[in-house]
Amino acid sequence: MIGEALRNRAILCAVRLPHVEQEEFECSLAELEELSATAGFVVVGTVVQNRPSVDVTFYLGRGKIDEVAGRSDEADVLIFNHELSPSQGRNVEKATGLNVRTRTEVILDIFAVHARTRAARLQVDMAQLPSATPRIFGKGIEMSRIEGGIHMKGPGEQQLELDRRRIRKRISDIREELEVLSVERDNQRKRRVRGEKKIAIVGYTNSGKSTLIHRLTKSAVTAQNKLFVTLDTTTRTLWLGEGLNAVVTDTVGFIRDIPHGLIESFRSTFEDALTSDLLIHVVDLSAKDRDTKRSVAEETVREMGGGDIPVVLCFNKADLVEEQVIRSCELTFPGAVFISAKEGSGIDALRETLRNRLGWEPAHGFEEKTDDRI
């Protein structure tokens, strides 16, 4: 998938609906461009449309689709910042002559490259299979052939139904294998030293989680300025002082507008996080949409069942912002820690906070806030 993407020029397509703020829309579109680049696409243009509602036939309006069709020699693929229905995808491909991909499919392309363990590869496969079902519609006359013949009862089954059945069977097989792997991981956790504290690092993708675990544990953990470099969980031992060791685990980053089914596919990735004594929620302080990203991460943790786990809010990349931004956040989020994982500043304060929270301070999980704008 990524190898093919390297040869593909892409036009990004997005619709801004009335309830979406301009800044939120622009950040989401910029994120789509970053995702596309990470997946190996060369973005050659962007098509944006303001609409009161999406077009039921093409998602974009007919005029915009004609505009895209007129630029078909510039690109090989259209990447939509939204989920399309199977019929919308087919209609756009027919009208423009270009392949169509969605935001979720691009994310899965990236996941497929970064999956290293058996569990992660199975999770990617399971996440990709549901989208394969609508894709098998409208692929030509071969999809409508009937299997039948001598000694067979009736005319046989349409190839389409056979493909659906194979996909359902594959999903079922993957779930069974993931359950076996889950039991194995659970047994490994039980064999750990009794009384050893467990910490998980969570947060929005590219917030600096891998850099932080490297800084805390002096371990060789991959840290790059790209989305979803970390997919498999990474666990290291963290020394917090005399007589206090912890096991710290890095996790895959969260991202906005992820379909619920995709979250479900990667639930087992967060098993270590959900059995932790403490979460470090890393937020990119330099991101202009940091509040949205923080909220997405908090909501995802709640959806995964980790809303009651104590949390240390850790604002990273403090070296990239003005001092007044830090002061404002300190007032809004008492108890938060401000660091630069890359430069190493604030790490001692974070260690002290972790010691306190694991030792004697009261626990507080993710709580709804009524006014948390910065």
Side-chain angles (χ1 to χ4, degrees):
M1 286 173 288
I2 298 292
E4 295 173 359
L6 287 170
R7 299 189 299 273
N8 285 340
R9 301 159 300 164
I11 294 177
L12 308 184
C13 301
V15 170
R16 183 193 168 203
L17 300 176
H19 69 276
V20 179
E21 296 292 336
Q22 182 67 31
E23 181 175 334
E24 178 185 352
F25 179 77
E26 290 175 356
C27 287
S28 179
L29 193 57
E31 192 170 77
L32 178 64
E33 183 170 1
E34 190 174 358
L35 285 166
S36 302
T38 301
F41 291 96
V42 178
V43 177
V44 296
T46 302
V47 174
V48 172
Q49 187 173 35
N50 295 312
R51 290 182 59 88
S53 61
V54 301
D55 184 84
V56 295
T57 304
F58 299 106
Y59 205 96
L60 291 170
R62 179 75 218 202
K64 283 293 181 181
I65 288 297
D66 290 341
E67 176 186 325
V68 172
R71 301 173 58 184
S72 60
D73 59 334
E74 301 176 18
D76 308 289
V77 62
L78 302 176
I79 301 178
F80 279 77
N81 198 28
H82 324 270
E83 292 305 297
L84 304 183
S85 69
S87 62
Q88 285 172 330
R90 293 195 301 273
N91 291 337
V92 172
E93 288 184 341
K94 184 177 180 180
T96 63
L98 299 173
N99 292 323
V100 170
R101 297 192 71 73
T102 66
R103 179 189 184 92
T104 299
E105 288 173 322
V106 171
I107 290 172
L108 286 173
D109 285 349
I110 300 170
F111 277 7
V113 168
H114 292 301
R116 295 290 180 264
T117 66
R118 176 65 177 164
R121 288 193 292 268
L122 287 170
Q123 289 162 349
V124 171
D125 287 346
M126 188 167 71
Q128 288 176 324
L129 284 168
S131 64
T133 303
R135 287 288 183 181
I136 63 179
F137 282 92
K139 294 299 183 182
I141 190 66
E142 69 277 3
M143 299 311 300
S144 63
R145 65 179 181 270
I146 302 294
E147 287 196 355
I150 301 173
H151 306 305
M152 295 186 66
K153 294 181 179 180
E157 293 183 281
Q158 289 189 348
Q159 184 66 30
L160 178 61
E161 180 55 35
L162 288 175
D163 288 336
R164 283 172 166 169
R165 181 177 299 180
R166 292 189 187 103
I167 289 172
R168 290 194 295 267
K169 177 64 165 56
R170 177 58 179 155
I171 291 175
S172 176
D173 291 344
I174 289 175
R175 283 184 175 143
E176 290 181 5
E177 189 169 351
L178 283 172
E179 287 179 7
V180 172
L181 293 173
S182 178
V183 171
E184 292 177 358
R185 285 193 298 271
D186 186 53
N187 290 334
Q188 290 172 357
R189 285 192 291 268
K190 290 178 180 178
R191 289 194 294 269
R192 288 173 179 164
V193 179
R194 182 168 293 182
E196 194 173 49
K197 298 295 185 179
K198 294 181 290 184
I199 302 172
I201 301 178
V202 301
Y204 206 84
T205 184
N206 208 28
S207 59
K209 301 183 301 301
S210 296
T211 304
L212 176 58
I213 193 173
H214 170 73
R215 177 66 67 175
L216 285 171
T217 65
K218 303 297 189 293
S219 58
V221 177
T222 300
Q224 300 179 31
N225 188 29
K226 292 183 178 180
L227 304 182
F228 299 118
V229 170
T230 301
L231 183 55
D232 301 294
T233 55
T234 300
T235 300
R236 297 288 185 270
T237 299
L238 172 62
W239 185 79
L240 290 173
E242 187 64 32
L244 181 56
N245 286 334
V247 172
V248 60
T249 300
D250 193 7
T251 61
V252 62
F254 305 128
I255 195 167
R256 77 189 89 197
D257 300 328
I258 287 290
H260 184 73
L262 186 55
I263 294 176
E264 285 297 312
S265 297
F266 285 85
R267 180 173 293 275
S268 62
T269 301
F270 297 99
E271 286 176 347
D272 281 322
L274 297 178
T275 59
S276 295
D277 300 293
L278 185 67
L279 300 179
I280 303 175
H281 178 194
V282 182
V283 179
D284 180 356
L285 186 60
S286 67
K288 63 180 180 180
D289 57 341
R290 58 178 172 264
D291 288 316
T292 298
K293 291 179 175 179
R294 177 181 52 78
S295 297
V296 166
E298 290 178 353
E299 179 59 32
T300 305
V301 169
R302 279 192 289 267
E303 284 187 34
M304 302 294 280
D308 294 330
I309 302 174
V311 177
V312 171
L313 185 59
C314 179
F315 285 98
N316 188 27
K317 307 184 184 181
D319 57 310
L320 301 180
V321 302
E322 299 293 333
E323 187 68 22
Q324 63 185 26
V325 175
I326 298 176
R327 299 284 82 83
S328 176
C329 283
E330 286 177 333
L331 293 174
T332 308
F333 302 100
V337 182
F338 297 82
I339 70 166
S340 169
K342 181 179 180 181
E343 300 297 329
S345 62
I347 297 299
D348 289 341
L350 175 59
R351 287 179 181 274
E352 180 65 25
T353 299
L354 295 177
R355 285 194 293 267
N356 291 338
R357 295 297 296 273
L358 290 172
W360 59 83
E361 286 196 357
H364 300 284
F366 283 132
E367 298 177 353
E368 297 289 349
K369 301 178 179 63
T370 56
D371 183 10
D372 55 9
R373 302 299 295 177
I374 298 174

